[in-house]
Amino acid sequence: MTVPVMISHVKEDVGDQTESAAMKREMAFFIPTEFQESPPDPAEPDVRIMAREPLLVYSKMMGGFPDFPKEAEKFRAELEQGGHTDVDFSMFYS
């Protein structure tokens, strides 16, 4: 496996499901610089190559098996209390 790995979590509106079940998850892998000009074609239909714009990330370490939506809300409160207004709270990464 390559590093870094980024897993995005996006809230979905799916009615009465629990919050953690209503999360769309997507895993992304970094393609090393020497392969970025001509990456290999994916062998699976669910895998695609995509370019991501640079982004600023605020991070926090958690252990065990966290409840991601709950932890995201706690982290949101901490960031807002710290005056960070430049955060997109519609998704989070793990």
Side-chain angles (χ1 to χ4, degrees):
M1 184 179 283
T2 164
V3 291
V5 174
M6 182 167 53
I7 302 172
S8 62
H9 303 258
V10 181
K11 291 181 182 179
E12 291 186 314
D13 183 17
V14 290
D16 62 350
Q17 290 188 4
T18 64
E19 274 205 49
S20 60
M23 299 297 290
K24 175 184 174 192
R25 293 172 180 86
E26 184 174 84
M27 186 178 294
F29 299 90
F30 175 77
I31 297 177
T33 305
E34 63 266 24
F35 301 114
Q36 288 181 8
E37 285 294 318
S38 182
D41 290 328
E44 299 293 327
D46 291 344
V47 177
R48 64 188 187 281
I49 304 293
M50 57 186 279
R52 186 176 298 274
E53 293 294 322
L55 66 146
L56 174 66
V57 177
Y58 295 97
S59 65
K60 179 178 181 177
M61 186 179 290
M62 296 176 286
F65 299 96
D67 177 338
F68 286 112
K70 182 179 177 181
E71 293 298 327
E73 284 302 315
K74 286 172 31 180
F75 195 32
R76 171 203 290 254
E78 292 170 9
L79 289 170
E80 288 176 340
Q81 185 176 15
H84 297 284
T85 59
D86 56 346
V87 182
D88 176 5
F89 291 110
S90 66
M91 69 183 312
F92 61 96
Y93 301 97
S94 64

